[in-house]
Amino acid sequence: MCPNFYCHQTNLPDNFNPFLEQHDDHQFPAPEFHPMCVDHNLPPLVDVDHNININHYNNPFDTHPLTLQALDSQNIHDHIPQFDESTDSLSKSNSKSVDTVLSSTTSLELLSRYRSKFISSKEVSVDEVGTDSVGTLSTVEIINLAAEKFISFSANRANGYTMFTHPYGSSAFTRLSMDEIREVELVFQLLTAAEKVGKKQFEIASKFLVRCGWVASDDGSPVERLVFHLCDALQERIGKETGMPVPKKPKKFDQKNENPLALGTNPSFLATHISLPFTQVLQLCGIQAIIDQVGTSSKVHLIDIHIRSGVQWTALIQALSERKSEIELLKITAFATSLDIQKVGETGKRLECFAKTLSLPFVFKILVLSDITEVKEEQFDVQDGEAVAVFCQVILRTMISRPQSFENLMRAIRKINPLVIVVAEVEANHNSTSFVNRFTEALFFYGAFFDCLEACMSRDDVHRGILEGVHFADGMKNIVACEGDERVSRSVNINTWRLFFKRFGMVEIELSDSCMYQANLVLQQFSCASSCTLQNNDKCLIIGWKGTPLQSLSTWKFVQE
């Protein structure tokens, strides 16, 4: 018996244009808040009675006093070309700055909305944590408490008086461990630094980043690691907006993030693939979806837009070799560029050897392109009688900032009329024009990932260090510090993808019970299975960590006219 899943559908406006960046005219908190005095209104992180002199402290972030005037916000916000301006109800706000002055109530709702979005079905409040929690709080729970504290602190300042919110003086917080109190305060000050950056109060923001630097560490707890890298990202944004160079830190790992937008074939990614459940769950579920759609076809043609190591296709080869009906040919066409053609070729050789051991007729073809979006219909080399399936794993999001290229690719795929298109993507919204919104999304998203790494890999694991310190750190910097063409990390959630695909005449295919069974079967092989969440969102599968969505899997086909 396959497990039951429950659908949760989020309603979006019919005239929403997914190819336009999502504009959110918010700051957090309200612009009316007077700048907080760093040395008097906020407590230190470690010693309650310690008086801090910010000017005499060795600054780990190498920040400098800033006296520059705030830059014009219009110079740092960008606009993605639209396919259909007439259908975008948000286009009227394009000329507005994302830092439009709002009422304090409205602007405080921003962080509250994100906070409630990512918590699990049983909401965790400060009082509940203080009385009911057992064991160590998760990273996202720490973030939730810090967000609640931040909202309360800001709301009381907006109401005309200051409420001293030192966690040691709160009856709820005193029930937490000292480490948890310290981490809540650490995230609270990170949120305050982000607020100051959003309001272009860079000197004050830098002082808050210094405070965070006293506790944050790239080899400490998940919260400390998360704050460490987000502090770096905020400091880089300050440098970009003020024009002042940010001193480079010594590199801990001698490795470059050559492909920041997708999984690669390096040892760190492969180690993560083995240790974390997310990729394996989605890949095996996607393979089952392909098998469901190709049925008893004797010739199967799989097109992988971004194959990477290709290890997942050994499962497909084995499944087809064990099928009762005879398989005449399995052909895999893999996209490659001049930069990765050698690695793709090595992947093909490994798959050919594996297929040979199972006596499965197999052909591996490399389609070399200068840009994967420039592919033409005839290059797919689809032959009569082939059942075609297309697999897209964490690659389509790289085209969100290039809508015309995305259109070209989808038109070419439509012409070969595949039976199924499997799409695995990051389930997050990192495409807002609002820096504050992107920062908040990144905080919760990466918080859940860092928490998962803590559960699945040791703190001194070199591969974990590389994943966090090189790949995740670069992703956070791109989301938080970059604007315009520099900002390439633009993940969107499944509801936005549905609007993308609807424009191309695509309909979503419901995942079968067998797909769900495979997802659960794979998940149960991991010791951390109880912390993972599998959930149906309409016809797609979303996998998360302790209630925070991280990745999605959906299947599609074209409606032929």
Side-chain angles (χ1 to χ4, degrees):
M1 179 69 65
C2 295
N4 293 323
F5 291 82
Y6 301 92
C7 298
H8 297 277
Q9 176 66 45
T10 302
N11 294 323
L12 292 179
D14 293 335
N15 58 353
F16 176 71
N17 183 354
F19 285 97
L20 174 66
E21 283 187 275
Q22 299 174 36
H23 288 259
D24 300 280
D25 295 336
H26 296 285
Q27 286 176 279
F28 90 105
E32 296 93 330
F33 298 160
H34 298 293
M36 288 184 288
C37 177
V38 176
D39 297 323
H40 297 96
N41 286 348
L42 284 178
L45 287 171
V46 181
D47 187 348
V48 180
D49 300 318
H50 177 62
N51 294 319
I52 299 172
N53 185 339
I54 205 79
N55 296 319
H56 294 157
Y57 188 79
N58 182 23
N59 181 353
F61 289 98
D62 296 319
T63 56
H64 304 281
L66 302 177
T67 57
L68 300 180
Q69 296 295 319
L71 302 179
D72 183 356
S73 61
Q74 293 181 356
N75 293 331
I76 62 171
H77 295 296
D78 55 298
H79 173 73
I80 288 183
Q82 304 172 58
F83 280 125
D84 186 3
E85 290 277 1
S86 63
T87 64
D88 179 25
S89 62
L90 301 180
S91 61
K92 296 179 181 179
S93 65
N94 291 346
S95 60
K96 299 179 181 179
S97 166
V98 298
D99 296 319
T100 300
V101 176
L102 302 174
S103 68
S104 60
T105 302
T106 302
S107 50
L108 281 174
E109 287 176 353
L110 176 63
L111 185 57
S112 181
R113 173 164 55 87
Y114 279 97
R115 174 179 169 270
S116 63
K117 174 182 176 181
F118 287 99
I119 58 179
S120 58
S121 57
K122 182 182 185 300
E123 181 170 354
V124 180
S125 71
V126 174
D127 293 325
E128 288 173 337
V129 168
T131 57
D132 300 330
S133 65
V134 177
T136 304
L137 295 181
S138 72
T139 302
V140 171
E141 286 172 331
I142 292 291
I143 295 171
N144 283 328
L145 293 181
E148 185 170 335
K149 174 180 166 67
F150 180 85
I151 293 167
S152 175
F153 184 91
S154 301
N156 281 285
R157 291 190 62 84
N159 288 333
Y161 66 92
T162 300
M163 180 182 72
F164 189 63
T165 60
H166 195 302
Y168 294 90
S170 166
S171 60
F173 278 99
T174 53
R175 299 188 186 102
L176 304 180
S177 70
M178 293 298 292
D179 284 341
E180 290 168 343
I181 292 172
R182 181 175 57 86
E183 289 184 341
V184 169
E185 186 66 20
L186 177 61
V187 177
F188 170 73
Q189 298 213 23
L190 177 71
L191 288 169
T192 308
E195 169 221 336
K196 298 306 176 186
V197 172
K199 296 199 294 185
K200 303 187 183 302
Q201 297 173 358
F202 301 125
E203 184 174 0
I204 300 176
S206 295
K207 292 180 179 180
F208 274 104
L209 293 179
V210 171
R211 285 191 160 210
C212 292
W214 300 340
V215 177
S217 167
D218 62 351
D219 58 4
S221 71
V223 172
E224 292 169 355
R225 293 172 183 232
L226 175 69
V227 173
F228 179 90
H229 294 298
L230 283 173
C231 281
D232 271 359
L234 287 172
Q235 192 61 56
E236 184 164 315
R237 184 176 182 91
I238 291 174
K240 287 177 179 288
E241 293 209 31
T242 61
M244 298 185 67
V246 178
K248 298 293 184 181
K249 292 183 180 180
K251 290 186 177 181
K252 190 171 183 178
F253 301 102
D254 186 21
Q255 183 167 334
K256 184 179 179 181
N257 188 6
E258 296 179 352
N259 189 0
L261 287 167
L263 294 176
T265 58
N266 66 59
S268 295
F269 278 129
L270 294 178
T272 305
H273 173 86
I274 294 171
S275 301
L276 272 60
F278 310 119
T279 302
Q280 292 189 45
V281 168
L282 294 183
Q283 287 179 344
L284 270 295
C285 184
I287 289 171
Q288 182 63 53
I290 292 173
I291 293 173
D292 290 342
Q293 296 301 318
V294 300
T296 58
S297 302
S298 59
K299 296 180 181 179
V300 177
H301 185 175
L302 172 69
I303 299 171
D304 194 332
I305 303 298
H306 196 44
I307 195 166
R308 307 173 187 86
S309 68
V311 64
Q312 69 273 19
W313 300 129
T314 58
L316 177 63
I317 292 171
Q318 185 171 1
L320 292 178
S321 68
E322 295 173 353
R323 203 172 65 176
K324 293 181 180 179
S325 58
E326 184 179 353
I327 181 80
E328 296 180 16
L329 177 67
L330 169 62
K331 178 166 68 177
I332 294 181
T333 297
F335 283 29
T337 66
S338 58
L339 297 177
D340 59 5
I341 185 172
Q342 181 178 349
K343 291 182 178 180
V344 174
E346 293 170 355
T347 294
K349 291 178 181 178
R350 289 193 295 268
L351 292 176
E352 286 173 350
C353 290
F354 185 76
K356 187 176 181 179
T357 62
L358 298 177
S359 301
L360 182 76
F362 180 81
V363 172
F364 187 86
K365 178 183 176 183
I366 302 176
L367 185 55
V368 182
L369 302 164
S370 58
D371 188 311
I372 62 175
T373 63
E374 296 177 358
V375 65
K376 301 293 190 297
E377 173 191 2
E378 58 273 11
Q379 292 177 291
F380 289 118
D381 190 27
V382 175
Q383 302 298 316
D384 292 340
E386 290 182 347
V388 180
V390 178
F391 191 79
C392 311
Q393 183 180 358
V394 198
I395 185 64
L396 297 184
R397 66 183 181 135
T398 67
M399 307 171 201
I400 289 176
S401 61
R402 301 179 294 150
Q404 189 59 51
S405 297
F406 188 88
E407 258 195 315
N408 293 339
L409 176 64
M410 299 311 294
R411 277 200 300 263
I413 294 176
R414 182 188 180 98
K415 290 178 180 178
I416 62 175
N417 192 26
L419 293 176
V420 62
I421 303 172
V422 179
V423 178
E425 273 296 343
V426 171
E427 182 62 15
N429 176 23
H430 298 150
N431 193 38
S432 172
T433 54
S434 166
F435 149 73
V436 166
N437 283 18
R438 297 199 308 272
F439 175 85
T440 309
E441 288 271 2
L443 177 65
F444 281 96
F445 177 82
Y446 283 105
F449 245 122
F450 276 56
D451 195 81
C452 178
L453 288 170
E454 177 77 0
C456 300
M457 304 177 78
S458 64
R459 290 190 178 183
D460 60 355
D461 189 297
V462 174
H463 297 306
R464 175 184 174 181
I466 292 174
L467 186 69
E468 293 176 344
V470 178
H471 302 285
F472 281 1
D474 284 356
M476 283 184 269
K477 285 181 180 179
N478 193 261
I479 292 169
V480 172
C482 296
E483 298 290 346
D485 293 339
E486 282 187 321
R487 184 159 59 83
V488 295
S489 183
R490 296 173 179 263
S491 298
V492 295
N493 59 32
I494 185 60
N495 287 306
T496 305
W497 282 118
R498 287 181 176 127
L499 294 174
F500 277 20
F501 296 141
K502 183 178 179 180
R503 287 171 172 261
F504 300 107
M506 298 169 66
V507 293
E508 195 169 0
I509 304 172
E510 187 169 4
L511 295 171
S512 68
D513 289 344
S514 297
C515 290
M516 299 305 176
Y517 177 78
Q518 287 290 347
N520 275 278
L521 189 64
V522 174
L523 185 57
Q524 296 310 313
Q525 307 304 311
F526 291 85
S527 60
C528 63
S530 61
S531 296
C532 291
T533 52
L534 295 178
Q535 186 181 51
N536 264 11
N537 181 306
D538 198 0
K539 297 178 180 180
C540 91
L541 173 67
I542 292 179
I543 184 169
W545 181 258
K546 298 180 181 178
T548 302
L550 293 178
Q551 292 183 315
S552 67
L553 181 84
S554 57
T555 50
W556 303 82
K557 66 178 180 180
F558 288 99
V559 177
Q560 297 298 318
E561 298 177 355

